[in-house]
Amino acid sequence: MEITKRTNLEIEGKHNKPILADLIFKDDKKPKPVVIFCHGYKGFKDWGAWDKMGEFYAEKGYFFVKFNFSHNGTSPENPTEFLNIEAFGDNNYIKELDDLQSVLDWILTPDFDQAVQIDTKSINLIGHSRGGGIAIIKAAEEERVDKLITLAAVSDFASRFPKEKELEAWEKKGVQYIKNTRTGQQLPHHYQFYKNFKENRERLNIQKSTKKLDIPHFIAHGSNDTTVSIADAGNLFEWSPISKLLLVENADHVFGISHPWNKDELTKEFQHVLNRTSEFLAASVQDLKDEYIDNDEADS
């Protein structure tokens, strides 16, 4: 059966900007486990091979959802370009958590127009990089999430902010800029980003959220990741109560994928990640918990 795609659907968010979403699935009118993907910093739902990832999971029988965070700098008119740089500057972690909640609530409403296609008792989150941190916090908060996969995820938000004099200069000026290496754009961060983080520091503590997880957690990270240290994967593995760790030899932050990705084949590193995560998703929650306990006892 061919894969069906519904693209650039607008979801009403809580912050006066729409959340753009894609649905990828086999239209067999049968309930399927849901996989929701969160992109990372300076990312978007159509980056690189994220669409091919959706096709991979759809072929395996999942209902795949990917979306643009409402303030990621793109817009419904230009979903792959950072033309709304003021929105980018106004983004923060709380808005991203709210956006993910809006996507979850949208999928799980009884009048969702693809409700016949989804198994509401099997909701799984995947997050890449910063989106991994967001997915961890939401998985710890949201009882409807069954499994969690993080790809090259950050383990701490606080350490990624500037320190001392640079932080003081940011506060004084109200904005700082970061270069998007792919496009050459100077993208703004308004000081509200840091202020909002400080106001919500407890909720945004990834370590605390990871330790609270009571669901299976698959952690994948490339050994040559120069964007997010492999030590972050080690932290998450140590903190997460029911976890599996996959270290991918010679893989970078995006497992060898680049944007745009016009090839039919994926890199062997990313294909390996997809194969392993699909095995993880296919296993029952109880089997994964039992396996973790068995492994833990064997190691002790």
Side-chain angles (χ1 to χ4, degrees):
M1 177 177 288
E2 285 191 11
I3 290 171
T4 295
K5 293 185 182 181
R6 302 273 186 270
T7 60
N8 297 328
L9 304 172
E10 290 192 25
I11 306 168
E12 186 178 348
K14 298 177 183 175
H15 299 281
N16 303 314
K17 288 195 179 300
I19 301 158
L20 220 58
D22 296 347
L23 311 176
I24 307 176
F25 58 97
K26 286 183 180 176
D27 190 3
D28 55 10
K29 304 295 189 290
K30 294 176 183 174
K32 292 170 270 296
V34 177
V35 174
I36 301 173
F37 174 71
C38 309
H39 68 72
Y41 178 55
K42 292 185 288 185
F44 45 93
K45 66 179 176 62
D46 299 309
W47 185 90
W50 298 150
D51 205 59
K52 290 203 171 295
M53 173 173 65
E55 292 171 3
F56 172 85
Y57 286 122
E59 284 285 358
K60 296 286 184 182
Y62 296 93
F63 188 91
F64 185 84
V65 183
K66 58 187 172 80
F67 67 98
N68 280 342
F69 286 110
S70 62
H71 286 66
N72 74 339
T74 66
S75 66
E77 299 76 30
N78 297 283
T80 64
E81 301 295 333
F82 296 120
L83 299 182
N84 195 345
I85 60 171
E86 280 306 298
F88 184 94
D90 289 337
N91 198 16
N92 58 52
Y93 298 127
I94 296 299
K95 283 178 180 169
E96 293 193 349
L97 283 167
D98 286 346
D99 288 347
L100 178 51
Q101 188 67 53
S102 293
V103 172
L104 274 161
D105 292 343
W106 174 64
I107 292 290
L108 295 172
T109 51
D111 60 350
F112 177 56
D113 67 0
Q114 300 296 334
V116 70
Q117 308 279 3
I118 67 169
D119 178 359
T120 58
K121 292 183 170 57
S122 182
I123 307 298
N124 310 281
L125 296 184
I126 303 181
H128 175 252
S129 194
R130 167 165 149 177
I134 294 296
I136 289 168
I137 294 168
K138 184 52 64 182
E141 295 176 343
E142 175 56 79
E143 292 181 353
R144 295 175 293 185
V145 175
D146 295 287
K147 291 177 194 164
L148 170 67
I149 296 168
T150 52
L151 310 176
V154 298
S155 66
D156 180 56
F157 286 144
S159 63
R160 309 192 82 78
F161 284 105
K163 307 288 187 292
E164 299 171 354
K165 288 185 178 179
E166 196 181 342
L167 188 60
E168 289 172 17
W170 187 15
E171 182 178 15
K172 187 175 180 182
K173 197 170 183 182
V175 64
Q176 67 170 6
Y177 291 87
I178 186 151
K179 187 176 182 178
N180 184 353
T181 51
R182 185 177 62 85
T183 64
Q185 288 172 290
Q186 293 290 332
L187 299 171
H189 282 304
H190 299 141
Y191 187 70
Q192 65 79 29
F193 183 27
Y194 181 67
K195 191 176 175 185
N196 180 268
F197 170 76
K198 283 202 304 181
E199 290 167 354
N200 296 280
R201 194 169 192 135
E202 274 301 296
R203 185 184 179 197
L204 295 171
N205 185 320
I206 296 174
Q207 178 178 359
K208 182 179 169 186
S209 293
T210 307
K211 287 181 172 181
K212 277 174 59 180
L213 292 170
D214 61 354
I215 60 173
H217 178 190
F218 189 100
I219 302 155
H221 212 106
S223 67
N224 288 353
D225 190 338
T226 56
T227 304
V228 175
S229 169
I230 199 169
D232 285 61
N235 290 338
L236 296 177
F237 184 59
E238 180 186 339
W239 301 333
S240 192
I242 310 161
S243 56
K244 284 176 172 281
L245 176 62
L246 173 66
L247 297 179
V248 185
E249 197 68 31
N250 300 320
D252 61 11
H253 187 57
V254 286
F255 305 97
I257 300 296
S258 56
H259 182 80
W261 190 260
N262 297 318
K263 302 172 188 175
D264 291 331
E265 299 294 318
L266 298 172
T267 62
K268 69 178 189 302
E269 293 85 2
F270 192 42
Q271 188 63 60
H272 182 53
V273 169
L274 293 184
N275 291 341
R276 289 290 303 278
T277 54
S278 104
E279 291 168 7
F280 171 79
L281 289 172
S284 76
V285 170
Q286 192 56 55
D287 283 350
L288 290 168
K289 287 183 176 181
D290 291 344
E291 181 186 338
Y292 181 83
I293 291 166
D294 290 344
N295 289 342
D296 202 37
E297 288 175 349
D299 292 340
S300 60

Coordinates of all heavy atoms in Angstrom, one line a residue, residues 29-80:
K29 N -7.0 2.6 7.2 CA -8.1 2.8 8.1 C -8.0 1.9 9.4 O -9.0 1.6 10.0 CB -9.5 2.5 7.5 CG -9.7 3.4 6.2 CD -9.9 4.8 6.5 CE -10.3 5.7 5.3 NZ -9.4 5.8 4.3
K30 N -6.7 1.6 9.7 CA -6.5 0.7 10.9 C -5.7 1.6 11.9 O -4.8 2.4 11.5 CB -5.7 -0.5 10.5 CG -6.4 -1.5 9.6 CD -5.6 -2.7 9.2 CE -6.3 -3.6 8.3 NZ -5.4 -4.7 7.8
P31 N -5.9 1.4 13.2 CA -5.2 2.2 14.2 C -3.7 1.8 14.2 O -3.4 0.6 14.2 CB -5.9 1.8 15.5 CG -6.7 0.6 15.3 CD -7.0 0.5 13.8
K32 N -2.9 2.8 14.2 CA -1.4 2.6 14.2 C -0.8 3.4 15.4 O -1.3 4.4 15.8 CB -0.9 3.1 12.9 CG -1.3 2.3 11.7 CD -0.9 3.0 10.4 CE -2.0 4.0 9.9 NZ -3.3 3.3 9.5
P33 N 0.3 2.8 15.9 CA 1.1 3.6 16.9 C 1.5 4.9 16.3 O 1.8 5.0 15.1 CB 2.3 2.7 17.2 CG 1.9 1.4 16.7 CD 1.0 1.6 15.6
V34 N 1.5 6.0 17.1 CA 1.9 7.3 16.7 C 3.3 7.6 17.0 O 3.8 7.3 18.1 CB 0.9 8.4 17.4 CG1 1.3 9.8 16.9 CG2 -0.5 8.1 17.0
V35 N 4.0 8.2 16.1 CA 5.4 8.7 16.3 C 5.4 10.2 16.0 O 5.0 10.6 14.9 CB 6.4 8.0 15.5 CG1 7.8 8.7 15.6 CG2 6.5 6.5 15.8
I36 N 5.7 11.0 17.0 CA 5.8 12.5 16.9 C 7.2 13.0 16.9 O 7.9 12.7 17.9 CB 4.9 13.2 17.9 CG1 3.5 12.8 17.8 CG2 5.0 14.7 17.8 CD1 2.6 13.3 19.0
F37 N 7.7 13.7 15.9 CA 9.1 14.1 15.8 C 9.2 15.6 16.1 O 8.5 16.4 15.5 CB 9.6 13.8 14.4 CG 11.0 14.3 14.2 CD1 12.1 13.8 14.9 CD2 11.2 15.4 13.4 CE1 13.4 14.3 14.7 CE2 12.5 15.9 13.1 CZ 13.6 15.3 13.8
C38 N 10.2 15.9 16.9 CA 10.5 17.3 17.3 C 11.9 17.7 16.7 O 12.9 17.1 17.1 CB 10.6 17.5 18.8 SG 9.2 16.9 19.7
H39 N 11.9 18.7 15.8 CA 13.2 19.1 15.2 C 14.0 19.9 16.2 O 13.5 20.3 17.3 CB 13.0 19.9 13.9 CG 12.3 21.3 14.2 ND1 13.0 22.3 14.7 CD2 11.1 21.7 13.9 CE1 12.2 23.4 14.8 NE2 11.0 23.0 14.3
G40 N 15.3 20.2 15.9 CA 16.2 20.9 16.8 C 16.3 22.3 16.5 O 15.6 22.9 15.7
Y41 N 17.3 22.9 17.1 CA 17.6 24.3 17.0 C 18.1 24.7 15.6 O 18.8 23.9 15.0 CB 18.8 24.6 18.0 CG 19.3 26.0 18.0 CD1 18.5 27.1 18.2 CD2 20.7 26.3 17.8 CE1 19.0 28.4 18.2 CE2 21.2 27.5 17.9 CZ 20.3 28.6 18.0 OH 20.8 29.9 18.1
K42 N 17.6 25.8 15.1 CA 17.8 26.1 13.7 C 17.4 25.0 12.7 O 17.9 24.9 11.6 CB 19.3 26.5 13.4 CG 19.7 27.8 14.1 CD 21.1 28.2 13.8 CE 22.1 27.4 14.4 NZ 23.5 27.8 14.2
G43 N 16.4 24.2 13.1 CA 15.9 23.2 12.3 C 14.4 23.4 11.9 O 13.8 24.4 12.3
F44 N 13.9 22.5 11.1 CA 12.5 22.6 10.6 C 12.1 21.2 10.2 O 12.9 20.3 9.9 CB 12.3 23.7 9.6 CG 13.3 23.6 8.5 CD1 13.1 22.9 7.3 CD2 14.5 24.4 8.6 CE1 14.0 22.9 6.3 CE2 15.5 24.4 7.6 CZ 15.2 23.6 6.4
K45 N 10.8 21.0 10.1 CA 10.3 19.6 9.8 C 10.7 19.1 8.5 O 10.8 17.8 8.3 CB 8.7 19.6 9.9 CG 8.1 20.4 8.8 CD 6.5 20.4 8.9 CE 5.8 21.3 7.9 NZ 6.1 20.9 6.5
D46 N 11.0 19.9 7.5 CA 11.4 19.4 6.2 C 12.9 19.4 5.9 O 13.4 19.3 4.8 CB 10.7 20.3 5.1 CG 9.2 20.3 5.2 OD1 8.7 19.2 5.2 OD2 8.6 21.3 5.3
W47 N 13.7 19.6 7.0 CA 15.1 19.6 6.9 C 15.6 18.2 6.4 O 15.1 17.2 6.9 CB 15.8 20.0 8.2 CG 17.3 20.1 8.1 CD1 18.0 21.3 7.8 CD2 18.2 19.1 8.3 NE1 19.3 21.0 7.8 CE2 19.5 19.7 8.1 CE3 18.1 17.7 8.6 CZ2 20.7 19.0 8.2 CZ3 19.3 17.0 8.7 CH2 20.6 17.6 8.5
G48 N 16.6 18.2 5.6 CA 17.4 17.0 5.3 C 16.5 15.8 4.9 O 15.7 15.8 4.0
A49 N 16.7 14.7 5.7 CA 16.0 13.5 5.4 C 14.9 13.2 6.5 O 14.5 12.0 6.6 CB 17.0 12.3 5.4
W50 N 14.4 14.2 7.1 CA 13.4 14.0 8.1 C 12.1 13.4 7.4 O 11.4 12.6 8.0 CB 13.0 15.2 8.9 CG 14.0 15.9 9.7 CD1 14.2 17.2 10.0 CD2 15.1 15.3 10.5 NE1 15.2 17.5 10.9 CE2 15.8 16.3 11.1 CE3 15.5 13.9 10.6 CZ2 16.9 16.0 12.0 CZ3 16.7 13.7 11.4 CH2 17.3 14.7 12.1
D51 N 11.9 13.8 6.2 CA 10.7 13.3 5.4 C 10.9 11.8 5.1 O 10.0 11.0 5.3 CB 10.5 14.1 4.1 CG 9.1 14.0 3.6 OD1 8.2 14.4 4.4 OD2 8.9 13.5 2.5
K52 N 12.2 11.4 4.8 CA 12.4 10.0 4.5 C 12.3 9.2 5.8 O 12.0 8.0 5.8 CB 13.8 9.9 3.9 CG 13.9 10.4 2.4 CD 15.0 9.7 1.7 CE 14.9 10.1 0.2 NZ 13.7 9.5 -0.5
M53 N 12.7 9.8 6.9 CA 12.5 9.1 8.2 C 11.0 8.9 8.4 O 10.7 7.8 8.8 CB 13.1 10.0 9.3 CG 12.8 9.5 10.7 SD 13.6 10.4 12.1 CE 12.8 12.0 11.9
G54 N 10.2 9.8 8.1 CA 8.7 9.6 8.2 C 8.2 8.5 7.3 O 7.4 7.7 7.8
E55 N 8.8 8.4 6.1 CA 8.4 7.4 5.2 C 8.8 6.0 5.7 O 8.1 5.0 5.6 CB 9.0 7.6 3.8 CG 8.4 8.8 3.1 CD 9.2 9.2 1.8 OE1 10.1 8.4 1.5 OE2 8.9 10.2 1.2
F56 N 10.0 6.0 6.3 CA 10.5 4.7 6.9 C 9.6 4.2 8.0 O 9.2 3.0 8.0 CB 11.9 4.9 7.5 CG 12.5 3.8 8.2 CD1 13.1 2.7 7.6 CD2 12.3 3.7 9.6 CE1 13.6 1.6 8.3 CE2 12.8 2.6 10.4 CZ 13.4 1.6 9.7
Y57 N 9.2 5.1 8.9 CA 8.3 4.7 10.0 C 6.9 4.3 9.5 O 6.3 3.4 10.0 CB 8.2 5.7 11.1 CG 9.5 5.8 11.9 CD1 10.2 7.0 12.0 CD2 10.0 4.7 12.6 CE1 11.4 7.1 12.8 CE2 11.1 4.8 13.4 CZ 11.8 6.0 13.5 OH 13.0 6.1 14.2
A58 N 6.4 5.1 8.5 CA 5.1 4.8 7.9 C 5.1 3.4 7.3 O 4.1 2.6 7.4 CB 4.7 5.8 6.9
E59 N 6.2 3.0 6.6 CA 6.3 1.7 6.0 C 6.3 0.6 7.0 O 5.8 -0.5 6.8 CB 7.6 1.6 5.2 CG 7.6 2.3 3.8 CD 6.8 1.6 2.8 OE1 6.2 0.5 3.1 OE2 6.6 2.1 1.7
K60 N 6.8 0.9 8.2 CA 6.8 0.0 9.3 C 5.5 -0.1 10.1 O 5.3 -0.8 11.0 CB 7.9 0.4 10.3 CG 9.3 0.3 9.8 CD 9.8 -1.2 9.6 CE 11.2 -1.2 9.2 NZ 11.7 -2.6 9.0
G61 N 4.5 0.7 9.6 CA 3.2 0.7 10.2 C 2.9 1.7 11.3 O 1.9 1.6 12.0
Y62 N 3.7 2.8 11.3 CA 3.4 3.9 12.3 C 2.7 5.1 11.6 O 2.8 5.3 10.4 CB 4.7 4.3 12.9 CG 5.4 3.2 13.7 CD1 6.4 2.4 13.1 CD2 5.0 3.0 15.0 CE1 6.9 1.4 13.8 CE2 5.6 2.0 15.7 CZ 6.6 1.2 15.1 OH 7.1 0.1 15.8
F63 N 2.0 5.8 12.4 CA 1.4 7.1 12.0 C 2.4 8.2 12.4 O 2.5 8.5 13.6 CB 0.1 7.3 12.7 CG -0.7 8.5 12.2 CD1 -1.6 8.3 11.1 CD2 -0.6 9.7 12.8 CE1 -2.4 9.4 10.7 CE2 -1.3 10.8 12.3 CZ -2.2 10.6 11.3
F64 N 3.1 8.7 11.4 CA 4.2 9.7 11.7 C 3.8 11.1 11.6 O 3.2 11.5 10.6 CB 5.4 9.4 10.8 CG 6.6 10.2 11.1 CD1 7.5 9.7 12.0 CD2 6.9 11.3 10.4 CE1 8.7 10.4 12.3 CE2 8.1 12.1 10.7 CZ 9.0 11.6 11.6
V65 N 4.2 11.9 12.6 CA 3.8 13.3 12.7 C 5.1 14.1 12.8 O 5.9 13.8 13.7 CB 2.9 13.6 13.8 CG1 2.5 15.1 13.8 CG2 1.7 12.7 13.8
K66 N 5.4 15.1 12.0 CA 6.5 16.0 12.2 C 5.9 17.4 12.1 O 4.9 17.7 11.4 CB 7.6 15.8 11.3 CG 7.3 15.9 9.8 CD 8.6 15.4 9.0 CE 8.3 15.3 7.5 NZ 8.3 16.5 6.7
F67 N 6.5 18.4 12.8 CA 5.9 19.7 12.8 C 7.0 20.8 13.0 O 8.1 20.5 13.4 CB 4.9 19.8 13.9 CG 5.5 19.7 15.3 CD1 5.8 20.9 16.0 CD2 5.8 18.5 15.9 CE1 6.3 20.8 17.3 CE2 6.3 18.4 17.2 CZ 6.6 19.6 17.9
N68 N 6.7 22.0 12.6 CA 7.6 23.1 12.9 C 7.1 23.8 14.2 O 6.0 24.1 14.3 CB 7.5 24.2 11.7 CG 8.3 23.8 10.5 OD1 9.2 23.0 10.6 ND2 8.0 24.4 9.4
F69 N 8.1 24.0 15.1 CA 7.8 24.8 16.2 C 7.3 26.2 15.7 O 7.8 26.7 14.8 CB 9.0 24.9 17.1 CG 9.3 23.7 17.9 CD1 10.4 22.9 17.6 CD2 8.4 23.3 19.0 CE1 10.7 21.8 18.4 CE2 8.7 22.1 19.7 CZ 9.8 21.4 19.4
S70 N 6.3 26.8 16.4 CA 5.6 28.0 15.9 C 6.6 29.2 15.8 O 6.4 30.0 14.9 CB 4.5 28.3 16.8 OG 5.0 28.6 18.1
H71 N 7.6 29.2 16.6 CA 8.6 30.4 16.5 C 10.0 29.9 16.1 O 11.0 30.5 16.5 CB 8.6 31.0 17.9 CG 7.4 31.8 18.3 ND1 6.1 31.3 18.4 CD2 7.2 33.2 18.4 CE1 5.3 32.2 18.7 NE2 5.9 33.4 18.7
N72 N 10.0 29.0 15.2 CA 11.3 28.5 14.7 C 11.9 29.4 13.6 O 13.0 29.2 13.2 CB 11.3 27.0 14.3 CG 10.6 26.9 12.9 OD1 9.8 27.7 12.5 ND2 10.9 25.7 12.2
G73 N 11.2 30.4 13.2 CA 11.7 31.4 12.2 C 11.1 31.1 10.8 O 11.3 32.0 9.9
T74 N 10.4 30.0 10.6 CA 9.7 29.8 9.3 C 8.3 30.3 9.4 O 7.9 30.8 10.5 CB 9.8 28.3 9.0 OG1 8.9 27.5 9.9 CG2 11.2 27.7 9.0
S75 N 7.6 30.1 8.3 CA 6.2 30.5 8.3 C 5.4 29.6 7.4 O 6.0 28.9 6.6 CB 6.1 32.0 7.8 OG 6.4 32.0 6.4
P76 N 4.1 29.6 7.5 CA 3.3 28.8 6.6 C 3.6 29.0 5.1 O 3.5 28.1 4.2 CB 1.8 29.1 6.9 CG 1.9 29.5 8.3 CD 3.2 30.3 8.5
E77 N 3.9 30.3 4.8 CA 4.2 30.7 3.4 C 5.6 30.2 3.0 O 5.8 29.9 1.8 CB 4.1 32.2 3.2 CG 2.7 32.8 3.5 CD 2.4 32.9 5.0 OE1 3.3 33.0 5.8 OE2 1.2 32.8 5.3
N78 N 6.5 30.2 3.9 CA 7.9 29.8 3.7 C 8.4 28.8 4.7 O 9.1 29.1 5.6 CB 8.8 31.0 3.7 CG 8.5 32.0 2.6 OD1 8.8 31.7 1.4 ND2 7.8 33.0 2.9
P79 N 7.9 27.5 4.6 CA 8.1 26.6 5.7 C 9.5 26.0 5.8 O 9.9 25.4 6.8 CB 7.2 25.4 5.4 CG 6.9 25.5 4.0 CD 7.0 27.0 3.6
T80 N 10.4 26.4 4.8 CA 11.8 25.9 4.9 C 12.8 27.0 4.9 O 14.0 26.8 4.8 CB 12.1 25.0 3.7 OG1 12.0 25.8 2.5 CG2 11.1 23.8 3.6

